[in-house]
Each structure stands twice: as structure tokens, then as C-alpha cells.
Amino acid sequence: MAKTKENVGSANEEKKAVKAKTTKASSKETKKVEPKKEDKEVKETKKKATAIKKTSEEKVVKESKKVSTSSIENDSVEKKTETPSFKEKSLEIEEGIKAKLEANPAIAAKFEQIVSVTKLMEAGAHIGLTSKRWNPKMKKYVYAKKGRNHIIDIFNTLVGLSNAYHFLKEVGAKNKTALFLGTKTFIVKKQIKDQAKRVNAFYVNQRWLGGTLTNLRTIMNSTKKLNELAILQKNGEIEKYSKKEQIEKIKEFKRLSKFFGGIRTMTSLPDVLIVNDPVEEKNAIAEAKKLGIKVIAICNTNANPEGIDIVIPANNYSIKAVYLIIGLLADAIAVGQGKPTQFIGKKDEEIILPQTYVQK
């Protein structure tokens, strides 16, 4: 009996020890688990709080942007109402031109306005280069300085266009020859080519090769070779050669047509040289001066007008301005030839200037 009681007591003690261990372990686990739950809840609350702050800040930013845009719009509206429009400015300029013509009867006797002031302003023809780049010899063609740029006097632009119109009209009427020269930007090159072809004039829209005018005989040898290669391709005689020779001749034809395609039929010196940029094409102007060829040039504020027979002061860095003026000069030849015009005599709405272009 005593042994059984001892056994029972020991068993009870073991059970109590086991219960104590399990309670301690469970308490430890609960202690470990509880702070984790608390941490998660704290983190979630913090996230919610930050999200609320962000949304509130974004709302404030949006509202401030709305306020700023509305204020900018109001400012722009006020500026629009304060500053005159293109048409209003052009009307003021035209009144000034009338006054200048009345004061200069010698200019007024020959003057003929072939384009409106509004179209020239739309093309940006009156905007010169920065004052750092200007040539003081262009001073008499400058109206004022606005900001960093010089402003070209549109009256002088119209007088230059009028003088060029009368001269080129006689060129077209007397079947004289003109050479258009412009090598800047894709659209200017295309306009030079298109307008020259329209009035049966010559053109150079690639790099000016030295001696094109002063050494015309050697240039004519190259154009002669170009014409021979063109005839070979047209008649199909090029097929008589081997494939290797055909490839070489086609390459030679492309190279020659690139530089001499616009003057391939020119057998004598032109009567007038029409230049897009006299600064860029100074070598061509020097050759023309040596040979006594008349020069008409679009001169920006950085140009040297000396040696140029008819100066057209305008922004030749603007594609729109060059496109318009080259078209007007070609129209002058077309009037002399009795052909229809594309720019002269048209309304401003009918004259479409290039906006953007894609070079392929």
C-alpha cells in the first residue's frame, strides 16, 4: 500500500511539473505572438496615416496647380488684350510705310508691294539675329533692338522685294538666265529646286564647288559626262556593259547629278545669281562679282551687304521666310515669262507656308 501511495504521489508531481512547463511555454508563445500582432497593427495604422497625408498633400498640390494655371490663363488673357494682334501691328506698320513713301517720292515711283506685311510677319521675316552676331554694315536695314535680337525694318524688306521684282520681271521677259543658290536645310533645298524648275532657271542646292562660275569650262566637262550617262540609261545602251561597269556608271551618274543636276544644261554664265544666304555662299558671290553677274540676296543682320546689287533684308534662318521670298522671286520671273504665279497676287489665306517637314 505504501508503495502504491508513493507511486501515485510521484505521478502527481510529474503531472504538475509537466503542466507548469506547458503553461510557461504557452505564456512565452503568447508573449512572443502578442507583440507581433501589436507591431502589425501599429504598422497598418502608420501606413493608413501616411496614405491619408499623401492624398491630402496631393489634393493641395492639385488645387494649387489649378490656381496657378488659372492665374496664368488670366495673365495670358490680359496680355492678349494688352498687346495688339498680327493684323493690328501690320496695320500700324503699313501706315508707317505709307508715310515713308510719301517722304521719299523717288522710292515711291518704283515701289510695288508684292506681298502683305502680315504674311511677312507670319513668316518671321522681320526677326533678325542676336546683337552679338550682327554686322554693323546692316545698320540701315535694322528697325530696332528687342531683347537680344535685332528687328529688321519691314519697309526695307518690301523695297528690296520691289526692286528684285522689277529686275527679275525683265529677266523673264528678255529670256535671260537666272541661277538660284541655296544649300541650307532640306526644305530650302527643295524650294530652290522646285521654283527654279518652274521658271526654267538653273539651281545649285548642294555644296558650292569652287570655280562653278569662274572655271565654267571644267564644270561643263562634268555636265557633259553627266548628260552622256543620262542618255546611256534612257536608250538602254548601259546594258551592253558588264554588271560591274553598270554599277560604276550608275554611281558616277548619281554623284554628278547631285552636284551638277541643276546646271547640266548651262552652257554660258547666268545673268543673275539669287542667293539664300550670302554669309554661307560668300565664295559664289565673290565669283559673281569678278564676272560682273548681278547678285540678289536675302540678307540677315549678320550679312555684309557690300557687293550685293539688290539687298532683301530678311530672316534667312526662318524656313517660312525663305520659302516665301524664294517663291516671290520665282514669281517675278514667271510674270515676265507670262506664266501663272504661286504667291504674287494671292490672298494671305491662299499662301500656305511650311510648318514641319520630315526628311527621308
Side-chain angles (χ1 to χ4, degrees):
M1 288 295 288
K3 287 181 180 180
T4 55
K5 283 180 181 180
E6 286 176 1
N7 292 328
V8 170
S10 63
N12 289 329
E13 286 176 358
E14 287 176 359
K15 285 180 182 180
K16 285 179 182 180
V18 170
K19 283 181 181 180
K21 286 180 181 179
T22 52
T23 52
K24 283 181 181 179
S26 62
S27 64
K28 285 181 181 178
E29 287 176 358
T30 52
K31 283 178 182 178
K32 288 180 182 178
V33 171
E34 283 175 2
K36 285 183 180 177
K37 286 181 180 177
E38 286 176 1
D39 291 339
K40 284 182 181 179
E41 289 176 357
V42 170
K43 285 180 181 178
E44 287 176 358
T45 53
K46 283 182 180 179
K47 283 181 182 179
K48 287 178 182 178
T50 52
I52 291 163
K53 282 183 180 179
K54 282 183 182 179
T55 52
S56 61
E57 286 174 357
E58 286 174 357
K59 284 180 181 179
V60 171
V61 170
K62 283 180 182 178
E63 287 175 358
S64 63
K65 281 183 180 178
K66 285 179 182 178
V67 172
S68 61
T69 51
S70 63
S71 63
I72 289 163
E73 287 173 358
N74 291 328
D75 291 337
S76 62
V77 170
E78 287 175 3
K79 284 179 182 177
K80 283 179 183 178
T81 54
E82 287 174 3
T83 56
S85 62
F86 252 169
K87 290 183 179 179
E88 290 175 356
K89 281 185 179 179
S90 63
L91 289 170
E92 290 177 7
I93 292 166
E94 282 176 359
E95 288 176 1
I97 289 167
K98 286 178 183 178
K100 287 179 181 179
L101 289 171
E102 288 174 1
N104 297 292
I107 295 172
K110 299 178 181 178
F111 180 77
E112 190 166 351
Q113 189 170 342
I114 61 173
V115 66
S116 68
V117 174
T118 52
K119 207 66 192 176
L120 285 172
M121 291 183 72
E122 182 191 335
H126 61 296
I127 301 168
L129 297 175
T130 56
S131 57
K132 290 181 180 179
R133 300 179 63 184
W134 88 306
N135 191 326
K137 292 177 181 179
M138 285 292 292
K139 186 178 180 180
K140 64 179 180 179
Y141 302 107
V142 174
Y143 174 71
K145 184 183 174 184
K146 190 175 181 181
R148 295 182 179 179
N149 293 64
H150 281 110
I151 304 299
I152 297 166
D153 192 350
I154 291 179
F155 172 72
N156 290 324
T157 306
L158 289 170
V159 170
L161 284 169
S162 177
N163 294 335
Y165 171 75
H166 290 296
F167 181 82
L168 292 173
K169 189 178 175 182
E170 288 184 6
V171 168
K174 294 179 180 179
N175 292 323
K176 293 183 178 180
T177 55
L179 174 60
F180 286 80
L181 173 60
T183 59
K184 289 198 310 183
T185 72
F186 168 77
I187 204 161
V188 170
K189 290 177 181 180
K190 188 178 184 302
Q191 181 71 342
I192 289 285
K193 181 180 178 180
D194 293 344
Q195 296 302 321
K197 280 186 170 182
R198 181 165 68 92
V199 294
N200 297 323
F202 304 114
Y203 69 91
V204 174
N205 62 354
Q206 297 295 327
R207 181 174 59 87
W208 180 266
L209 298 176
T212 300
L213 296 175
T214 53
N215 198 8
L216 186 62
R217 287 185 180 179
T218 56
I219 297 297
M220 284 176 65
N221 290 332
S222 299
T223 55
K224 185 180 177 182
K225 189 184 286 185
L226 174 62
N227 292 326
E228 288 173 356
L229 290 170
I231 291 166
L232 280 176
Q233 290 185 19
K234 281 184 180 179
N235 296 338
E237 292 180 4
I238 196 169
E239 293 178 0
K240 293 179 182 179
Y241 297 91
S242 63
K243 287 185 178 179
K244 187 179 179 181
E245 288 175 336
Q246 286 181 29
I247 290 166
E248 287 177 356
K249 288 184 181 297
I250 289 167
K251 281 183 179 179
E252 183 70 8
F253 173 77
K254 287 180 178 179
R255 188 184 68 81
L256 291 171
S257 60
K258 181 181 178 181
F259 291 102
F260 306 108
I263 56 172
R264 60 189 294 181
T265 57
M266 190 172 76
T267 55
S268 61
L269 292 172
D271 297 293
V272 60
L273 177 67
I274 300 167
V275 182
N276 168 40
D277 189 351
V279 176
E280 199 76 22
E281 314 298 346
K282 59 183 180 181
N283 294 330
I285 292 170
E287 289 185 27
K289 281 177 69 179
K290 282 182 182 178
L291 299 168
I293 299 168
K294 296 286 184 182
V295 178
I296 299 171
I298 306 169
C299 297
N300 209 325
T301 53
N302 64 335
N304 181 6
E306 293 179 354
I308 297 168
D309 298 284
I310 299 174
V311 176
I312 303 171
N315 181 9
N316 54 17
Y317 279 68
S318 168
I319 292 171
K320 291 181 181 180
V322 174
Y323 184 91
L324 176 63
I325 292 169
I326 293 296
L328 291 168
L329 298 177
D331 269 355
I333 299 171
V335 170
Q337 293 172 346
K339 293 180 179 179
T341 60
Q342 290 184 355
F343 298 87
I344 294 174
K346 305 289 182 181
K347 294 179 180 179
D348 289 346
E349 295 80 15
E350 295 174 342
I351 300 171
I352 299 168
L353 301 176
Q355 300 297 325
T356 56
Y357 67 96
V358 178
Q359 184 175 357
K360 294 184 180 180

